[in-house]
Amino acid sequence: MKSFINYPENSDFSIYNIPFGVGVFGKEYIACATRIGDKIIDLAGLYELGFLDEIKGLDENVFEGYTLNEFIELGKSVTNAVRLKIQELLLENSILSQDEEALESCFFDVEEVEMMMPIHVSNYTDFYSSIEHATNVGKMFRDPANALLPNWKHLPVGYHGRASSIVVSGVNIHRPKGQMKPADAEKPIFGASKQLDFELEMAFIVNKNTNLGESISTAEAEDAIFGMVIFNDWSARDIQSWEYVPLGPFLGKNFGSSISPWVVTLEALEPFRTASPMQEPEVLDYLKFEGNKNFDINLEVFLQPENSEENLISKSNFKFMYWNMAQQLAHHTINGCNVEVGDIYASGTISGSEKTSFGSMLELTWRGTEPLKLSNGEERKFIEDNDTIIMRGFSEKNGIRVGFGEVKGKILPSI
Amino acid sequence: MKSFINYPENSDFSIYNIPFGVGVFGKEYIACATRIGDKIIDLAGLYELGFLDEIKGLDENVFEGYTLNEFIELGKSVTNAVRLKIQELLLENSILSQDEEALESCFFDVEEVEMMMPIHVSNYTDFYSSIEHATNVGKMFRDPANALLPNWKHLPVGYHGRASSIVVSGVNIHRPKGQMKPADAEKPIFGASKQLDFELEMAFIVNKNTNLGESISTAEAEDAIFGMVIFNDWSARDIQSWEYVPLGPFLGKNFGSSISPWVVTLEALEPFRTASPMQEPEVLDYLKFEGNKNFDINLEVFLQPENSEENLISKSNFKFMYWNMAQQLAHHTINGCNVEVGDIYASGTISGSEKTSFGSMLELTWRGTEPLKLSNGEERKFIEDNDTIIMRGFSEKNGIRVGFGEVKGKILPSI
């Protein structure tokens, strides 16, 4: 496929992608959008001009909203049809390529559009599904010989996170303050976190509402997943380690999580399916699945100190996940827990087996004992004030590239 | 104060209460409501007839919504003025008492109105703030000699719960299925929970949105609390105990939580303030507070087997809470976590020091070892299918009674 919009070969936003987001166009007008190369397209405008008229079920202009929720609630039969139609419209010699008015009014340079949160997050759950990450944490904080807890290989461990504090790429985060108890202190102290970390994760977004008591099987799960984003689960390790027993992480996490602005559909990721790691012992029936449920998505993390260049500090891959998204959703609903349009389900930190593929500073510096060396001569045990963390992700196969762009956030000093 | 509406002396909904809720009137019309005695009043109707005209800031009819969120977001200056005005209108010889049209169109018998969820729940957090409950759990599952974990007296331990599965009183809950590992089993098994429990809690509802990075101090906290409800945090102990390490409770809780339909304002509870338990060791500065922040609210739990009578199985009191609501909200936001209108913050199980005041079956039967004897001759270790759990709460002092009514739910067989 070739588009009439030119873009470099390594663009994440090829004709094969067609992601969805929400943009502020020219600082005044808000609408749902898609992107190809470095052009952002106003979908409300495209709809008004009649280019999407033939899609059944798209009777109102759902693209005028401030979130994608209304659009994705239409379900895959509609959202897939819209995506394929946009793809067709972006091909060389399409009817759209000849329409001066549409090109003038609906196509914007990326610099002209500020991306907003793509969805209203109804509920947010974070899993813990990378065996390498769970093993690393177990080795550091518990028993190196029995790093994985007994339940870990039997169910995708997860917990509820805070929906309100999920922000879009570009929103900077103040270093959180809180209670912590340094190893050598007799009593807990109060102050700004000294062990601020990122967690490299991906997350999926659900497109349907279910009733309390209903379950979603592994076979049904992917139909309920609209698409994915990159997810940075900022973590204050010192606050977390003091608070988390026995009910789990809380203030060490809920001061902010960041997502990439473009939701890449499962359909765009279809060519990049791959086999899952072997699950041994065998899982219970409700967690069994058929087919390739993992996705080969290259992930990179960069740390950029103030007034300095980006340092690549981790290269991981979403395909390392032990538990896949279908299993996560089946597990989450097996007890009848209902899901809602706009729910976000994050993977947990995605680490590989190589040290260079670890998905957090905690693991990369092995709890601060092996600081990272940066190109400007500095070292880092954890994130310092005014450091920017950038995560990028893309899939590539047979000359086809589909990517997520980036999620970026700077840590500002504590207020 | 005496109302022109007659009600028995022990009514929870006295002229001193004036709670807020959302009702379906005559199976067709939905509006915000208040209640006095056994009469439910349509507030959208009262507004349309001009009875609330003098309240500044109430320019649109926020009572027409399907939730209280829009109303409570107006803040205490408006919501308190509305409550006081309604109270005045309900006094003997008021202008409303003489208005036949209003009495006819806005006043309904309780049987004619079905109560709905009073709010859209934006985010839900559950605390663990009863020292008696935390101690009981610690004794049963950890070390009787060191029942409380080291952090417990330094911060109000809490975790994020699932907002989507909070339902209103009267919604029945199917027994959840899930993974559990019986003590004598080699491998986890799948099935319906055999250790289904309630947790007697109260919860407060927040009336404002804050920005990420902002904190709410203990002095500011009560202004952000619109009111309270009774909260039943249904719990599947066998699912919970297998899954909860290391990230906290998840599927053992998120199959459903139930709340009472009437939100009782903090202002109505003002006469029932009482001192907090002594906090020793002294807490960090951000958790210090002035004045009486606990409330004397009598709480009762009843278990009603199918075709049998109610059995009173617990008598507790909200005043037992070690950590108060102001401390909970200050702690939750000290790291900059933002709050949203409609957030629910639950107390955690409210147990007293007497065995008869324990707030869960787990504690009342001491993990099933001392079954409860019921009036029909049966015994209970945990909740059985078709058992109904009813929780009631009220404050009473100097002849003034302000209550919550009840939260009720039946456990249906697993599907």
Side-chain angles (χ1 to χ4, degrees):
Chain A
M1 288 194 284
K2 184 154 168 41
S3 174
F4 66 89
I5 301 288
N6 291 316
Y7 53 81
E9 224 171 75
N10 67 350
S11 173
D12 283 349
F13 305 102
S14 71
I15 184 75
Y16 298 96
N17 192 342
I18 320 293
F20 293 90
V22 176
V24 188
F25 293 80
K27 298 197 175 176
E28 50 185 20
Y29 162 76
I30 296 176
C32 300
T34 189
R35 176 170 174 174
I36 183 161
D38 285 339
K39 290 287 181 191
I40 293 180
I41 304 165
D42 163 17
L43 292 178
L46 214 57
Y47 177 90
E48 269 179 41
L49 292 175
F51 284 100
L52 303 171
D53 277 358
E54 70 193 50
I55 315 279
K56 284 185 194 145
L58 200 67
D59 8 313
E60 316 171 71
N61 195 345
V62 295
F63 299 120
E64 281 176 1
Y66 284 22
T67 70
L68 290 171
N69 292 48
E70 217 184 319
F71 172 59
I72 68 179
E73 188 170 359
L74 297 173
K76 293 234 171 184
S77 63
V78 177
T79 57
N80 284 348
V82 168
R83 178 171 166 272
L84 293 174
K85 182 70 198 172
I86 294 170
Q87 198 168 52
E88 183 193 313
L89 288 167
L90 290 172
L91 289 176
E92 273 187 327
N93 304 317
S94 73
I95 185 167
L96 177 59
S97 72
Q98 321 290 328
D99 190 318
E100 285 300 328
E101 186 200 345
L103 296 178
E104 177 81 12
S105 66
C106 299
F107 284 64
F108 293 76
D109 290 333
V110 286
E111 297 78 25
E112 296 174 282
V113 184
E114 187 192 344
M115 296 308 293
M116 293 173 57
M117 270 293 284
I119 52 160
H120 169 77
V121 185
S122 299
N123 304 271
Y124 155 49
T125 290
D126 195 21
F127 286 95
Y128 187 56
S129 290
S130 152
I131 196 166
E132 291 82 2
H133 171 67
T135 305
N136 285 339
V137 171
K139 280 184 190 169
M140 274 185 266
F141 292 94
R142 286 182 293 266
D143 176 6
N146 293 289
L148 282 184
L149 286 163
N151 59 10
W152 200 92
K153 284 188 168 183
H154 295 283
L155 55 84
V157 171
Y159 68 105
H160 300 118
R162 180 84 185 177
S164 72
S165 54
I166 300 178
V167 296
V168 73
S169 177
V171 174
N172 298 328
I173 305 273
H174 287 277
R175 179 178 296 272
K177 290 178 295 193
Q179 218 182 105
M180 53 204 97
K181 191 165 176 293
D184 54 353
E186 268 188 39
K187 290 190 300 186
I189 58 166
F190 177 79
S193 168
K194 290 186 170 63
Q195 298 184 351
L196 193 57
D197 203 353
F198 64 83
E199 289 193 341
L200 170 65
E201 307 194 12
M202 299 209 65
F204 66 85
I205 293 166
V206 155
N207 65 7
K208 68 186 286 191
N209 297 307
T210 58
N211 294 316
L212 204 59
E214 267 181 58
S215 300
I216 298 174
S217 69
T218 57
E220 296 161 333
E222 290 186 347
D223 193 51
I225 299 175
F226 174 69
M228 299 182 68
V229 292
I230 315 175
F231 192 98
N232 181 355
D233 182 20
W234 302 99
S235 301
R237 301 299 179 193
D238 36 11
I239 295 173
Q240 187 184 344
S241 61
W242 171 233
E243 75 178 354
Y244 92 106
V245 178
L247 301 181
F250 187 48
L251 299 190
K253 299 279 190 177
N254 66 16
F255 60 92
S257 316
S258 302
I259 65 171
S260 55
W262 293 106
V263 185
V264 176
T265 65
L266 273 203
E267 289 65 33
L269 296 166
E270 196 59 41
F272 312 104
R273 281 188 186 272
T274 182
S276 301
M278 171 78 160
Q279 295 185 328
E280 178 57 44
E282 195 182 30
V283 297
L284 284 165
D285 283 350
Y286 78 97
L287 292 170
K288 289 182 179 153
F289 63 95
E290 286 183 7
N292 286 341
K293 299 281 189 212
N294 276 38
F295 292 86
D296 184 353
I297 303 171
N298 302 290
L299 297 168
E300 296 172 329
V301 185
F302 300 84
L303 187 155
Q304 182 175 29
E306 186 85 330
N307 302 317
S308 186
E309 64 183 10
E310 294 180 7
N311 293 255
L312 176 63
I313 58 174
S314 176
K315 281 184 82 150
S316 188
N317 195 304
F318 186 60
K319 73 181 175 190
F320 299 148
M321 301 309 292
Y322 188 88
W323 296 101
N324 59 55
M325 297 183 282
Q327 292 180 307
Q328 290 168 343
L329 202 51
H331 181 64
H332 205 311
T333 59
I334 190 63
N335 68 343
C337 179
N338 56 333
V339 303
E340 294 183 326
V341 173
D343 282 357
I344 285 193
Y345 300 87
S347 58
T349 309
I350 306 163
S351 294
S353 51
E354 300 296 311
K355 189 175 162 145
T356 52
S357 66
F358 291 170
S360 65
M361 297 286 275
L362 179 72
E363 294 163 88
L364 288 165
T365 72
W366 210 253
R367 220 177 168 180
T369 57
E370 301 166 27
L372 292 177
K373 291 187 197 330
L374 305 182
S375 63
N376 66 356
E378 296 178 4
E379 291 192 341
R380 288 288 183 281
K381 294 180 178 177
F382 287 98
I383 302 170
E384 299 195 358
D385 284 351
N386 301 308
D387 283 354
T388 297
I389 298 292
I390 305 146
M391 298 175 178
R392 299 198 177 98
F394 65 95
S395 295
E396 204 159 26
K397 191 178 174 184
N398 304 330
I400 293 178
R401 176 158 165 146
V402 169
F404 290 79
E406 64 185 27
V407 54
K408 183 173 183 169
K410 186 197 272 197
I411 293 299
L412 303 177
S414 186
I415 13 178
Chain B
M1 288 194 283
K2 185 156 170 38
S3 174
F4 67 89
I5 302 287
N6 290 316
Y7 52 82
E9 224 172 72
N10 67 349
S11 173
D12 283 350
F13 305 103
S14 71
I15 184 75
Y16 298 97
N17 192 341
I18 320 293
F20 293 90
V22 176
V24 189
F25 293 80
K27 298 197 174 177
E28 49 184 19
Y29 162 75
I30 296 176
C32 300
T34 189
R35 175 170 175 176
I36 183 160
D38 285 340
K39 290 286 179 190
I40 293 180
I41 304 166
D42 163 17
L43 293 178
L46 215 58
Y47 177 91
E48 268 179 42
L49 292 175
F51 284 100
L52 304 171
D53 277 358
E54 70 194 49
I55 314 279
K56 284 185 195 145
L58 199 67
D59 8 313
E60 315 171 72
N61 194 345
V62 295
F63 299 120
E64 281 176 2
Y66 284 23
T67 70
L68 291 171
N69 293 49
E70 217 183 318
F71 172 60
I72 69 180
E73 187 170 0
L74 297 172
K76 294 234 172 185
S77 64
V78 176
T79 57
N80 284 346
V82 168
R83 178 171 165 272
L84 292 175
K85 183 69 197 173
I86 294 170
Q87 198 168 52
E88 182 193 314
L89 288 168
L90 289 173
L91 288 177
E92 274 187 325
N93 304 317
S94 73
I95 185 167
L96 177 58
S97 71
Q98 323 290 328
D99 190 318
E100 286 298 328
E101 186 200 344
L103 297 178
E104 177 82 13
S105 66
C106 299
F107 284 63
F108 294 77
D109 290 333
V110 285
E111 297 78 25
E112 296 174 284
V113 184
E114 188 191 344
M115 297 306 296
M116 295 174 54
M117 271 294 284
I119 52 161
H120 169 77
V121 185
S122 300
N123 304 271
Y124 156 48
T125 290
D126 195 19
F127 286 94
Y128 187 57
S129 290
S130 152
I131 195 165
E132 290 83 3
H133 171 67
T135 304
N136 285 339
V137 172
K139 280 184 190 168
M140 274 185 268
F141 292 94
R142 285 182 294 268
D143 177 4
N146 294 287
L148 283 185
L149 287 163
N151 58 12
W152 200 92
K153 285 189 168 183
H154 294 283
L155 54 85
V157 170
Y159 67 105
H160 300 118
R162 180 83 184 178
S164 72
S165 53
I166 300 179
V167 296
V168 74
S169 177
V171 174
N172 298 327
I173 305 274
H174 286 278
R175 179 178 297 273
K177 289 178 295 193
Q179 217 182 106
M180 53 205 99
K181 191 165 176 291
D184 54 354
E186 266 188 40
K187 291 190 298 188
I189 59 167
F190 177 79
S193 168
K194 290 187 172 61
Q195 299 183 349
L196 193 57
D197 202 354
F198 65 83
E199 289 193 341
L200 169 64
E201 307 195 10
M202 298 209 66
F204 67 84
I205 294 165
V206 155
N207 65 8
K208 67 187 288 191
N209 297 306
T210 57
N211 294 316
L212 206 58
E214 267 181 58
S215 301
I216 297 175
S217 68
T218 57
E220 295 161 334
E222 289 186 348
D223 194 51
I225 299 175
F226 173 68
M228 298 182 69
V229 292
I230 314 176
F231 192 98
N232 181 354
D233 182 21
W234 301 99
S235 300
R237 300 299 178 193
D238 37 11
I239 295 173
Q240 186 184 345
S241 63
W242 171 234
E243 76 179 353
Y244 92 106
V245 178
L247 300 181
F250 186 47
L251 299 191
K253 301 277 191 178
N254 65 16
F255 59 92
S257 316
S258 302
I259 65 171
S260 54
W262 293 106
V263 185
V264 176
T265 65
L266 273 203
E267 288 66 34
L269 295 167
E270 195 60 40
F272 312 104
R273 281 188 186 272
T274 182
S276 300
M278 171 76 161
Q279 294 186 329
E280 176 59 44
E282 193 181 33
V283 297
L284 284 164
D285 282 351
Y286 78 96
L287 291 170
K288 289 181 179 153
F289 63 95
E290 287 183 6
N292 285 342
K293 297 282 188 211
N294 276 39
F295 292 85
D296 184 352
I297 304 172
N298 302 291
L299 298 167
E300 296 171 330
V301 185
F302 301 84
L303 188 155
Q304 182 174 31
E306 186 85 331
N307 302 317
S308 186
E309 63 183 11
E310 294 180 7
N311 293 255
L312 176 63
I313 58 174
S314 176
K315 280 183 82 151
S316 187
N317 195 304
F318 187 59
K319 73 181 176 189
F320 299 149
M321 303 308 294
Y322 188 88
W323 296 101
N324 59 56
M325 297 183 282
Q327 291 180 308
Q328 289 168 342
L329 202 50
H331 181 64
H332 204 311
T333 59
I334 190 63
N335 68 343
C337 179
N338 57 332
V339 302
E340 293 183 326
V341 173
D343 282 358
I344 284 194
Y345 298 88
S347 58
T349 308
I350 305 164
S351 294
S353 50
E354 301 296 312
K355 189 177 161 141
T356 53
S357 66
F358 292 170
S360 64
M361 298 285 276
L362 179 72
E363 294 163 270
L364 289 165
T365 71
W366 209 254
R367 218 177 170 180
T369 58
E370 302 167 27
L372 291 178
K373 291 186 196 333
L374 305 183
S375 63
N376 65 357
E378 295 179 5
E379 290 191 341
R380 287 291 182 279
K381 294 180 178 177
F382 287 97
I383 302 171
E384 298 195 358
D385 284 351
N386 301 307
D387 283 353
T388 297
I389 298 292
I390 305 146
M391 298 175 178
R392 301 198 175 98
F394 65 95
S395 295
E396 204 159 26
K397 191 180 175 184
N398 303 331
I400 293 178
R401 177 157 165 148
V402 169
F404 291 78
E406 65 184 27
V407 54
K408 184 174 182 168
K410 186 197 271 197
I411 293 299
L412 302 176
S414 187
I415 7 179

